[in-house]
Amino acid sequence: MIERQQLKKIIEGALLAYGQPLTVDKLHSLFATQMVDTEEGDPLPTQTQVDKSEIIDVLAEIQSDCENAGYELKEVSSGWRFQVREEMAPWVNKLWEEKPQRYSRALMETLAIIAYRQPITRGDIEEIRGVAVSSYIIKTLTEREWIKVIGHRDVPGRPSLFATTKQFLDYFNLKSLEELPSLQELTDIESINPELNLEVAEVVEEVVSAENSQKFVEQDNITESDNTVLEAETEAEAEADTQQESLHE
Amino acid sequence: MIERQQLKKIIEGALLAYGQPLTVDKLHSLFATQMVDTEEGDPLPTQTQVDKSEIIDVLAEIQSDCENAGYELKEVSSGWRFQVREEMAPWVNKLWEEKPQRYSRALMETLAIIAYRQPITRGDIEEIRGVAVSSYIIKTLTEREWIKVIGHRDVPGRPSLFATTKQFLDYFNLKSLEELPSLQELTDIESINPELNLEVAEVVEEVVSAENSQKFVEQDNITESDNTVLEAETEAEAEADTQQESLHE
Amino acid sequence: MTITSQDNEIAAEDSQLPVTNTSTAKQEGVDSMQADNTSNSPEQNEMPFALVNGEAYTELPKDLYIPPDALEVILEAFEGPLDLLLYLIRRQNIDILDINVAAITHQYVSYVEMMSDLQFELAAEYLVMAAMLAEIKSRMLLPRTQEEEEEEDDPRAALIRRLQEYERFKTAAEDMDGIPRMHRDIHQATAQAPDRNLTRPDPEVDFKEILLALSDVLRRADMFESHQVEMERMSTRERMTKVLEHLSVEKTFVPFVSLFKVEEGRLGVIVTFMAVMELIKESLVDIVQNEPFGAIHVKAKAD
């Protein structure tokens, strides 16, 4: 057995040396295999058996250790990473001459729509935004590896279906899409005006649910199975339910 | 004045965010200038005056803080940096899949010559190979403990005499040097029948050496003494003859 | 990550904008300008977004009249017809659900007309929206039969739906912009990794490789002719190493006979003898015999 203190030091070292998020599995793999003998016959490091649960414990321990430090241990989508706290940014950012990049509203809106409505085609995004989505934005988001094509909708032209990536979540300090700020509630459409009667509302409802079910049917065509997508789906479904509920009221 | 605890957090953060050595001057510069307003109109961090001596104090403090951590704060020539402790290397370095390295042709030749012509000086090897033997090769082979100096030739300069080691034999699963394939077999390949013109000779050579190398693999299984090897040799000779004959036809 | 790429982005988006990039002062930060003045997004800034006749405008004009020179700049701040409509609605501080289609249509069309008058190249989306608004307005004016109401979707509902949906994502984008982000608010912590050489595995070597290397050497040696590699029994070479090692350890003269071991038998004795002869030939050992038929002693030369 490897000593707890040593285990902690190794995990700290690995996280800092790697400079990217590490999963518990990956951390575990550092201990899983037996150290290979060298011809020199050097004393072998003690063989170790470390449980994943122990690694998780240690991560929690490290996390509380650095509560008062300038950095924190955080779990994001692709694993655990040490990161310098937000509060330090005003000073830390002065290390670099360049200012942190800012993104245009058009880009952020496109990204938000993809994040909340994935998987989604460019046409769908344009429908929501009311304007064409520039190829430059799609290119930038793809190059940043924030979005990717996860399939094609089975309609003429077979448009690409976009979804966000793990890198997107990592970049925005998130563990999963569920951590995104919740979308603004939709106000009851029936309360619009006395002129609009219930029947109209129902028609709207049908349109909305038809649209939704269409989307889910299409998702069946996506071959790639991806947790993120599944999560998004569930979320979208939940949301659709909420919408329907509010319409029924 | 900036609080000591805050100063420490900022310095920790800066060092970890930068990931490269930072000088005390550079760290100091993070505090020296007044914080410039950002367009966002965020509340300004308090203006600070920090002495360099204070930064040095803090660095020492951080250094002792991480005495029991998997990393250390170290001053190198270009400044201060956090580095993962060397003791963590056996685990941490497993994060990177190392492709098995390969030795250079020159190293393999040197090793072959030492194996077959030991004890031998570097000068002798150079004479045989026709080119200088780099110190790096000798160092690598020595560090691997495949060769060692077993004496010195009593000539001006007293050059070292190299020989292979027990570890060398162990690695190649040999009981003694006698089990090395005999030079005879190799030179058979080389000593092409003079009657053959060069072109033909080259063809034969290729065929035979391919066969021979195959045979050497098989020889690994041979535990018996020289006799078998000699038989195999004779066989190889006979075979080569046959081939040569057929080429003559 | 660079500022230039941001510029590119602005440039690229220009093609999407409802107006051509004609003349007026374009300033940095235009892209972040907020059309929605109810927003308190961090992107809002103090900088005037337009200079018209030398006068700085720090907020959007309250009335419909927009100095022509500023129109282009203002339009760049809108992300499309929905955004413009939202602005018009929000400016009146009314709920989307209560929109007066007639009034909004009027305002919207005024904008669009002004743009046309100024011969700005309007994006098609703006015109489509104008047409849609006009249609809604006209339909709302017409008396509707019960049958129609049952069959048709209220045109206003669809518009409201779109506006709401767009506004949700507009807000979501602003919220997302506020999330702590890498390289801006948070930074990956890294430390120097341990030296890889500490654990780098040694290359694997197949004995065949040694043989191939040797065969190359021999071939070259043959080519140069001057270095004839002798063929000899390996046992002799090995014994030479062993004898030399032994002598190096002893560092003094050792009896010649002590090099031989009875248990090795006749062959062993011969091999050792050959090895010593070879060592003498190569001047690696000194051999002394003080008197004829006396004891022979051997010593490594260098040590």
Side-chain angles (χ1 to χ4, degrees), chain B residues 169-184:
Chain B
L169 293 174
D170 287 348
Y171 184 88
F172 291 103
N173 212 10
L174 302 167
K175 265 195 235 134
S176 79
L177 286 173
E178 281 175 56
E179 284 184 13
L180 285 177
S182 86
L183 268 182
Q184 183 66 48

Side-chain angles (χ1 to χ4, degrees), chain B residues 15-17 19 39-40 81-86 89-90 92-93 96 98 101-103 105 108-109 111-113 115-119 127-129 144 146 148 150-154 158 161 163 168-169 171-172 174 176-178 180-181 183-184 186-187 190 205 213 216-217 226, chain C residues 42-46 187-222 224 227 229-235 237-241 244-245 248 279 282-284 286 301-303:
Chain B
L15 289 165
L16 286 171
E39 294 80 25
E40 288 85 1
R81 74 171 177 211
F82 277 110
Q83 56 188 44
V84 176
R85 289 182 190 278
E86 277 196 1
V92 171
N93 283 356
W96 294 276
E98 287 276 355
Q101 306 279 304
R102 287 188 59 85
Y103 285 134
R105 193 69 193 206
M108 293 304 295
E109 287 183 11
L111 178 61
I113 293 168
Y116 280 88
R117 294 282 293 154
Q118 59 191 287
E127 206 175 315
I128 295 170
R129 288 193 58 227
R144 182 115 197 216
W146 278 358
K148 66 178 172 188
I150 56 149
H152 296 270
R153 182 160 285 168
D154 198 15
R158 303 187 64 253
L161 281 163
F168 169 81
L169 293 174
Y171 184 88
F172 291 103
L174 302 167
S176 79
L177 286 173
E178 281 175 56
L180 285 177
L183 268 182
Q184 183 66 48
L186 278 165
T187 38
E190 306 301 320
E205 193 181 303
S213 51
F216 293 141
V217 174
D226 287 352
Chain C
E43 283 185 1
Q44 201 150 34
N45 59 47
E46 305 279 65
H187 298 272
Q188 169 76 49
T190 48
Q192 181 72 29
D195 187 352
R196 301 267 185 94
N197 283 323
L198 292 172
T199 51
R200 179 161 283 148
D202 288 320
E204 297 286 316
V205 177
D206 188 322
F207 201 80
K208 259 191 293 180
E209 295 175 61
I210 295 183
L211 292 174
L212 283 171
L214 187 64
S215 114
D216 273 3
V217 171
L218 293 177
R219 191 174 307 159
R220 276 211 313 272
D222 278 351
F224 297 133
H227 317 293
V229 177
E230 296 155 38
M231 289 164 272
E232 36 196 333
R233 295 299 307 271
M234 273 324 299
S235 49
R237 281 278 153 195
E238 182 171 41
R239 193 54 59 96
M240 284 167 70
T241 295
L244 207 53
E245 258 182 294
S248 301
L279 287 169
E282 291 190 21
S283 308
L284 293 170
D286 279 334
K301 244 193 172 158
D303 292 315

Side-chain angles (χ1 to χ4, degrees), chain C residues 52-73:
Chain C
V52 181
N53 301 327
E55 197 184 340
Y57 283 75
T58 56
E59 53 185 317
L60 291 165
K62 293 283 182 235
D63 56 14
L64 253 187
Y65 176 72
I66 299 168
D69 287 353
L71 189 58
E72 179 190 4
V73 179

Side-chain angles (χ1 to χ4, degrees), chain A residues 84 93 104-105 129 196, chain C residues 9 79 83 154 161 168 187:
Chain A
V84 177
N93 284 349
S104 67
R105 264 184 64 196
R129 293 195 62 231
L196 275 173
Chain C
E9 189 168 340
E79 289 295 331
D83 200 22
D154 183 306
R161 178 101 224 149
R168 286 179 102 186
H187 298 272

